[in-house]
Amino acid sequence: MKLNFIIHYGLHFVAPLFISYFFFKSNWKKVYLIFICSMLVDLDHLLATPIFDKNRCSINFHPLHSYIAIGFYCLGLFFKKTRIICIALLFHMITDYIDCYL
């Protein structure tokens, strides 16, 4: 397995587990599920041709990975009802951004 694969999917699955457990101890399972569900944002990859290109950076290429969408995710941090999902979405964007340079 390649290192960038391990880093990318570790950040998508393992890091959210630690974030959920250490920062949201009382509801860590629910928060972790929200982090995992935030990966549904990757459905916008289905709009691209080809659907997957290992050399393409997702950030600002796919609609739900655009700077405008990221701005909305940042705005959502200010509202209690959307805060956790927006943290999850922004962490997803950071993970995908890191992947652009691996």
Side-chain angles (χ1 to χ4, degrees):
M1 237 184 272
K2 291 190 175 187
L3 183 61
N4 58 345
F5 178 88
I6 293 168
I7 292 170
H8 183 78
Y9 288 101
L11 287 171
H12 273 313
F13 290 99
V14 180
L17 180 62
F18 287 111
I19 292 168
S20 302
Y21 186 77
F22 290 110
F23 293 103
F24 302 96
K25 238 177 194 142
S26 61
N27 292 320
W28 74 269
K29 291 177 186 175
K30 180 181 175 183
V31 173
Y32 182 64
L33 182 62
I34 291 170
F35 267 81
I36 297 304
C37 288
S38 75
M39 284 188 252
L40 289 171
V41 76
D42 281 336
L43 288 172
D44 64 356
H45 291 245
L46 296 173
L47 301 173
T49 304
I51 291 173
F52 176 74
D53 180 357
K54 68 177 183 162
N55 296 318
R56 179 173 57 216
C57 182
S58 296
I59 302 301
N60 212 37
F61 184 84
H62 303 292
L64 297 175
H65 290 70
S66 68
Y67 295 137
I68 293 170
I70 292 169
F72 281 107
Y73 306 151
C74 288
L75 283 175
L77 295 172
F78 295 102
F79 304 98
K80 189 174 182 175
K81 288 188 175 194
T82 58
R83 188 168 297 139
I84 293 174
I85 187 66
C86 288
I87 290 169
L89 289 166
L90 288 168
F91 190 79
H92 182 100
M93 296 302 129
I94 290 167
T95 298
D96 284 358
Y97 181 76
I98 290 168
D99 198 41
C100 294
Y101 295 99
L102 292 178

